[in-house]
mmCIF file of all heavy atoms in Angstrom:
data_model
loop_
_atom_site.group_PDB
_atom_site.id
_atom_site.type_symbol
_atom_site.label_atom_id
_atom_site.label_comp_id
_atom_site.label_asym_id
_atom_site.label_seq_id
_atom_site.Cartn_x
_atom_site.Cartn_y
_atom_site.Cartn_z
ATOM 1 N N THR A 1408 2.155 23.220 -7.063
ATOM 2 C CA THR A 1408 3.180 22.794 -8.000
ATOM 3 C C THR A 1408 3.450 21.302 -7.793
ATOM 4 O O THR A 1408 3.798 20.655 -8.867
ATOM 5 C CB THR A 1408 4.488 23.616 -7.799
ATOM 6 O OG1 THR A 1408 4.972 23.490 -6.513
ATOM 7 C CG2 THR A 1408 4.233 25.121 -8.143
ATOM 8 N N SER A 1409 3.371 20.810 -6.617
ATOM 9 C CA SER A 1409 3.586 19.308 -6.509
ATOM 10 C C SER A 1409 2.556 18.502 -7.184
ATOM 11 O O SER A 1409 2.701 17.301 -7.463
ATOM 12 C CB SER A 1409 3.629 18.950 -5.065
ATOM 13 O OG SER A 1409 2.404 18.953 -4.298
ATOM 14 N N GLY A 1410 1.372 19.084 -7.422
ATOM 15 C CA GLY A 1410 0.277 18.368 -8.147
ATOM 16 C C GLY A 1410 0.575 18.211 -9.675
ATOM 17 O O GLY A 1410 -0.233 17.388 -10.238
ATOM 18 N N GLY A 1411 1.517 18.886 -10.186
ATOM 19 C CA GLY A 1411 1.964 18.737 -11.555
ATOM 20 C C GLY A 1411 0.764 19.231 -12.602
ATOM 21 O O GLY A 1411 -0.073 20.051 -12.152
ATOM 22 N N ASP A 1412 0.690 18.492 -13.764
ATOM 23 C CA ASP A 1412 -0.289 18.927 -14.718
ATOM 24 C C ASP A 1412 -1.728 18.557 -14.342
ATOM 25 O O ASP A 1412 -2.623 19.178 -14.808
ATOM 26 C CB ASP A 1412 0.077 18.254 -16.073
ATOM 27 C CG ASP A 1412 1.401 18.725 -16.663
ATOM 28 O OD1 ASP A 1412 1.762 19.765 -16.315
ATOM 29 O OD2 ASP A 1412 1.976 18.010 -17.474
ATOM 30 N N ASP A 1413 -1.796 17.582 -13.422
ATOM 31 C CA ASP A 1413 -3.213 17.222 -13.085
ATOM 32 C C ASP A 1413 -3.812 18.195 -12.028
ATOM 33 O O ASP A 1413 -4.984 18.193 -11.842
ATOM 34 C CB ASP A 1413 -3.155 15.826 -12.360
ATOM 35 C CG ASP A 1413 -2.827 14.794 -13.369
ATOM 36 O OD1 ASP A 1413 -3.061 14.974 -14.695
ATOM 37 O OD2 ASP A 1413 -2.214 13.756 -12.977
ATOM 38 N N GLY A 1414 -2.978 18.999 -11.433
ATOM 39 C CA GLY A 1414 -3.497 19.994 -10.465
ATOM 40 C C GLY A 1414 -3.982 19.298 -9.172
ATOM 41 O O GLY A 1414 -3.755 18.077 -8.939
ATOM 42 N N MET A 1415 -4.596 19.991 -8.258
ATOM 43 C CA MET A 1415 -4.999 19.501 -6.925
ATOM 44 C C MET A 1415 -6.262 20.169 -6.540
ATOM 45 O O MET A 1415 -6.459 21.340 -6.722
ATOM 46 C CB MET A 1415 -3.862 19.690 -5.952
ATOM 47 C CG MET A 1415 -3.999 18.857 -4.636
ATOM 48 S SD MET A 1415 -2.611 19.001 -3.548
ATOM 49 C CE MET A 1415 -1.296 18.251 -4.497
ATOM 50 N N ALA A 1416 -7.161 19.363 -5.914
ATOM 51 C CA ALA A 1416 -8.488 19.967 -5.518
ATOM 52 C C ALA A 1416 -8.329 20.681 -4.288
ATOM 53 O O ALA A 1416 -7.350 20.545 -3.438
ATOM 54 C CB ALA A 1416 -9.412 18.745 -5.284
ATOM 55 N N VAL A 1417 -9.240 21.656 -4.039
ATOM 56 C CA VAL A 1417 -9.113 22.612 -2.915
ATOM 57 C C VAL A 1417 -9.174 21.843 -1.554
ATOM 58 O O VAL A 1417 -8.512 22.153 -0.541
ATOM 59 C CB VAL A 1417 -10.226 23.711 -2.960
ATOM 60 C CG1 VAL A 1417 -11.540 23.088 -2.831
ATOM 61 C CG2 VAL A 1417 -9.926 24.765 -2.003
ATOM 62 N N GLY A 1418 -10.043 20.815 -1.559
ATOM 63 C CA GLY A 1418 -10.066 19.992 -0.330
ATOM 64 C C GLY A 1418 -8.787 19.350 0.017
ATOM 65 O O GLY A 1418 -8.463 19.303 1.276
ATOM 66 N N GLU A 1419 -8.103 18.821 -0.982
ATOM 67 C CA GLU A 1419 -6.827 18.118 -0.687
ATOM 68 C C GLU A 1419 -5.801 19.172 -0.289
ATOM 69 O O GLU A 1419 -4.951 18.931 0.653
ATOM 70 C CB GLU A 1419 -6.416 17.362 -1.997
ATOM 71 C CG GLU A 1419 -5.005 16.754 -1.827
ATOM 72 C CD GLU A 1419 -5.086 15.485 -0.925
ATOM 73 O OE1 GLU A 1419 -6.086 15.193 -0.354
ATOM 74 O OE2 GLU A 1419 -3.956 14.931 -0.608
ATOM 75 N N LEU A 1420 -5.811 20.349 -0.939
ATOM 76 C CA LEU A 1420 -4.821 21.377 -0.566
ATOM 77 C C LEU A 1420 -5.104 21.848 0.836
ATOM 78 O O LEU A 1420 -4.096 21.986 1.634
ATOM 79 C CB LEU A 1420 -5.035 22.643 -1.563
ATOM 80 C CG LEU A 1420 -4.499 22.357 -2.920
ATOM 81 C CD1 LEU A 1420 -4.979 23.442 -3.823
ATOM 82 C CD2 LEU A 1420 -2.930 22.318 -2.927
ATOM 83 N N ALA A 1421 -6.368 21.962 1.245
ATOM 84 C CA ALA A 1421 -6.661 22.331 2.693
ATOM 85 C C ALA A 1421 -6.142 21.393 3.667
ATOM 86 O O ALA A 1421 -5.564 21.701 4.685
ATOM 87 C CB ALA A 1421 -8.097 22.555 2.835
ATOM 88 N N ARG A 1422 -6.318 20.014 3.310
ATOM 89 C CA ARG A 1422 -5.932 18.968 4.215
ATOM 90 C C ARG A 1422 -4.423 18.982 4.358
ATOM 91 O O ARG A 1422 -3.952 18.979 5.497
ATOM 92 C CB ARG A 1422 -6.446 17.625 3.722
ATOM 93 C CG ARG A 1422 -6.111 16.523 4.663
ATOM 94 C CD ARG A 1422 -6.483 15.169 4.062
ATOM 95 N NE ARG A 1422 -5.666 14.865 2.908
ATOM 96 C CZ ARG A 1422 -4.433 14.280 2.992
ATOM 97 N NH1 ARG A 1422 -3.890 14.179 4.222
ATOM 98 N NH2 ARG A 1422 -3.753 14.024 1.947
ATOM 99 N N ARG A 1423 -3.694 19.070 3.261
ATOM 100 C CA ARG A 1423 -2.265 19.042 3.310
ATOM 101 C C ARG A 1423 -1.646 20.164 4.008
ATOM 102 O O ARG A 1423 -0.578 20.074 4.600
ATOM 103 C CB ARG A 1423 -1.666 18.759 1.883
ATOM 104 C CG ARG A 1423 -1.987 17.356 1.348
ATOM 105 C CD ARG A 1423 -1.137 17.136 0.092
ATOM 106 N NE ARG A 1423 -1.533 15.950 -0.597
ATOM 107 C CZ ARG A 1423 -0.774 15.385 -1.509
ATOM 108 N NH1 ARG A 1423 0.349 15.810 -1.780
ATOM 109 N NH2 ARG A 1423 -1.244 14.166 -2.035
ATOM 110 N N ALA A 1424 -2.169 21.330 3.764
ATOM 111 C CA ALA A 1424 -1.816 22.569 4.332
ATOM 112 C C ALA A 1424 -2.229 22.765 5.813
ATOM 113 O O ALA A 1424 -1.834 23.694 6.466
ATOM 114 C CB ALA A 1424 -2.120 23.760 3.504
ATOM 115 N N ASP A 1425 -3.076 21.876 6.311
ATOM 116 C CA ASP A 1425 -3.661 22.001 7.606
ATOM 117 C C ASP A 1425 -4.367 23.326 7.769
ATOM 118 O O ASP A 1425 -4.318 24.027 8.798
ATOM 119 C CB ASP A 1425 -2.602 21.767 8.662
ATOM 120 C CG ASP A 1425 -3.220 21.503 10.044
ATOM 121 O OD1 ASP A 1425 -4.358 21.167 10.149
ATOM 122 O OD2 ASP A 1425 -2.525 21.822 11.088
ATOM 123 N N LEU A 1426 -5.134 23.737 6.859
ATOM 124 C CA LEU A 1426 -5.990 24.927 6.805
ATOM 125 C C LEU A 1426 -7.391 24.598 6.650
ATOM 126 O O LEU A 1426 -7.738 23.570 6.147
ATOM 127 C CB LEU A 1426 -5.538 25.881 5.696
ATOM 128 C CG LEU A 1426 -4.064 26.410 5.698
ATOM 129 C CD1 LEU A 1426 -3.753 27.119 4.440
ATOM 130 C CD2 LEU A 1426 -3.849 27.322 6.913
ATOM 131 N N THR A 1427 -8.292 25.555 6.995
ATOM 132 C CA THR A 1427 -9.715 25.314 6.764
ATOM 133 C C THR A 1427 -9.984 25.562 5.213
ATOM 134 O O THR A 1427 -9.177 26.256 4.577
ATOM 135 C CB THR A 1427 -10.600 26.387 7.471
ATOM 136 O OG1 THR A 1427 -10.390 27.727 7.064
ATOM 137 C CG2 THR A 1427 -10.356 26.271 8.966
ATOM 138 N N ARG A 1428 -10.975 24.920 4.738
ATOM 139 C CA ARG A 1428 -11.315 25.094 3.335
ATOM 140 C C ARG A 1428 -11.668 26.575 2.940
ATOM 141 O O ARG A 1428 -11.099 27.055 1.890
ATOM 142 C CB ARG A 1428 -12.562 24.236 2.977
ATOM 143 C CG ARG A 1428 -12.839 23.976 1.478
ATOM 144 C CD ARG A 1428 -14.016 23.207 1.273
ATOM 145 N NE ARG A 1428 -14.330 23.047 -0.147
ATOM 146 C CZ ARG A 1428 -14.160 21.953 -0.853
ATOM 147 N NH1 ARG A 1428 -13.619 20.879 -0.270
ATOM 148 N NH2 ARG A 1428 -14.428 21.865 -2.198
ATOM 149 N N PRO A 1429 -12.356 27.312 3.738
ATOM 150 C CA PRO A 1429 -12.574 28.690 3.349
ATOM 151 C C PRO A 1429 -11.259 29.527 3.288
ATOM 152 O O PRO A 1429 -11.057 30.360 2.333
ATOM 153 C CB PRO A 1429 -13.484 29.292 4.457
ATOM 154 C CG PRO A 1429 -14.205 28.133 4.962
ATOM 155 C CD PRO A 1429 -13.166 26.942 4.909
ATOM 156 N N THR A 1430 -10.341 29.298 4.202
ATOM 157 C CA THR A 1430 -9.096 30.058 4.200
ATOM 158 C C THR A 1430 -8.254 29.570 2.963
ATOM 159 O O THR A 1430 -7.646 30.510 2.352
ATOM 160 C CB THR A 1430 -8.242 29.688 5.566
ATOM 161 O OG1 THR A 1430 -8.988 30.209 6.654
ATOM 162 C CG2 THR A 1430 -6.883 30.404 5.446
ATOM 163 N N THR A 1431 -8.259 28.380 2.700
ATOM 164 C CA THR A 1431 -7.478 27.860 1.524
ATOM 165 C C THR A 1431 -8.118 28.462 0.252
ATOM 166 O O THR A 1431 -7.365 28.938 -0.595
ATOM 167 C CB THR A 1431 -7.636 26.375 1.492
ATOM 168 O OG1 THR A 1431 -7.073 25.778 2.592
ATOM 169 C CG2 THR A 1431 -6.800 25.763 0.216
ATOM 170 N N HIS A 1432 -9.395 28.538 0.157
ATOM 171 C CA HIS A 1432 -9.977 29.088 -1.029
ATOM 172 C C HIS A 1432 -9.693 30.656 -1.231
ATOM 173 O O HIS A 1432 -9.376 31.163 -2.251
ATOM 174 C CB HIS A 1432 -11.514 28.880 -1.060
ATOM 175 C CG HIS A 1432 -12.193 29.129 -2.407
ATOM 176 N ND1 HIS A 1432 -12.643 30.486 -2.597
ATOM 177 C CD2 HIS A 1432 -12.415 28.444 -3.524
ATOM 178 C CE1 HIS A 1432 -13.192 30.425 -3.874
ATOM 179 N NE2 HIS A 1432 -13.000 29.276 -4.345
#
Side-chain angles (χ1 to χ4, degrees):
T1408 57
S1409 72
D1412 293 337
D1413 295 331
M1415 197 174 292
V1417 65
E1419 178 68 5
L1420 288 167
R1422 184 187 68 79
R1423 295 195 184 192
D1425 196 23
L1426 298 171
T1427 65
R1428 190 182 180 108
T1430 297
T1431 302
H1432 190 270

